[in-house]
């Protein structure tokens, strides 16, 4: 099984830096494969708690080199919840790459473990019969301090449901649980990696961006 690793996170930073420089990213230093994957960008300001800046991926298997390239940019620039990440934010960023594994159909909406499983929920909106779905990666519920029921209710809101959440509706949800491997890389660690492996720190339009 392919596990998320540092080289995948480096490639995501490489891809974003190359975008700002209007050039091609260096070739990735990991092997090709086919897996569902996500790219998450967090922003850390003044040593505080990391704040989400973008998170997009695919629940279907994709060739991971193209997948990480595409979702590094999509999550950074086209997550509709946030304005696009600007080059000047790079020193404050950290990137988490996730490879999703072990998809299983849960027996009911509480048949999963906080901190271990990610979730995909699917249900029919009782107000308009629309099919709704949403996902949270395995680390989300634990990071937010949610119970399993709180995570399910939050996912229903994420899916676009705005009505009253009844127990009968929770019981109607189809839940797929999954696990993941992940790797998180800060921009300063990325700079150190690039300097050690390529002999010079990355530059944005000729200007070195290094954490002070």
């Amino acid at each position: 099984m392919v596990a998320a690793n540092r080289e995948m996170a480096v490639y995501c930073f490489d891809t974003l830096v190359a975008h700002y420089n209007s050039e091609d990213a260096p070739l990735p230093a990991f092997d090709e494969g086919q897996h569902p994957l996500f790219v998450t960008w967090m922003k850390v300001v003044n040593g505080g708690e990391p704040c989400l800046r973008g998170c997009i991926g695919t629940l279907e298997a994709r060739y991971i080199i193209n997948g990480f390239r595409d979702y590094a940019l999509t999550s950074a620039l086209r997550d509709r919840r946030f304005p696009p990440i600007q080059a000047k934010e790079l020193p404050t960023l950290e990137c988490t790459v996730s490879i999703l594994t072990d998809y299983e159909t849960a027996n009911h909406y509480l048949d999963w473990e906080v901190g271990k499983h990610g979730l995909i929920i699917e249900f029919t909106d009782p107000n308009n019969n629309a099919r709704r779905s949403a996902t949270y990666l395995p680390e989300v519920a634990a990071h937010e301090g949610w119970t399993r029921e709180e995570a399910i209710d939050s996912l229903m809101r994420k899916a676009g449901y705005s009505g009253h959440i009844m127990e009968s509706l929770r019981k109607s949800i189809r839940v797929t649980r999954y696990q993941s491997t992940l790797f998180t890389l800060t921009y300063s660690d990325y700079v150190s990696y690039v300097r050690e492996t390529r002999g010079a720190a990355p530059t944005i339009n000729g200007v070195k961006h290094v954490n002070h």
Side-chain angles (χ1 to χ4, degrees), residues 45-159:
V45 179
N46 297 328
E49 277 291 303
C51 298
L52 183 63
R53 226 17 214 94
C55 178
I56 296 179
T58 174
L59 299 170
E60 305 290 332
R62 277 200 60 177
Y63 285 107
I64 59 176
I65 291 176
N66 282 346
F68 280 124
R69 183 188 65 205
D70 291 349
Y71 288 108
L73 293 180
T74 303
S75 59
L77 306 174
R78 292 186 284 279
D79 187 326
R80 290 177 294 181
R81 296 171 292 179
F82 307 100
I85 293 174
Q86 299 180 48
K88 66 183 180 182
E89 296 179 73
L90 272 168
T92 68
L93 294 181
E94 61 182 38
C95 178
T96 298
V97 291
S98 302
I99 298 280
L100 311 188
T101 62
D102 300 305
Y103 283 58
E104 301 172 307
T105 300
N107 293 321
H108 51 81
Y109 77 91
L110 295 176
D111 182 26
W112 58 282
E113 294 181 35
V114 172
K116 178 180 180 180
H117 293 115
L119 302 174
I120 306 166
I121 66 164
E122 301 168 88
F123 64 99
T124 300
D125 189 323
N127 295 327
N128 55 20
N129 286 326
R131 291 293 295 165
R132 298 195 179 278
S133 63
T135 189
Y136 276 146
L137 295 173
E139 58 270 25
V140 172
H143 181 264
E144 297 292 340
W146 289 332
T147 64
R148 288 173 296 171
E149 186 172 290
E150 287 170 339
I152 290 291
D153 288 0
S154 178
L155 257 182
M156 294 175 75
R157 298 302 187 206
K158 183 181 179 184

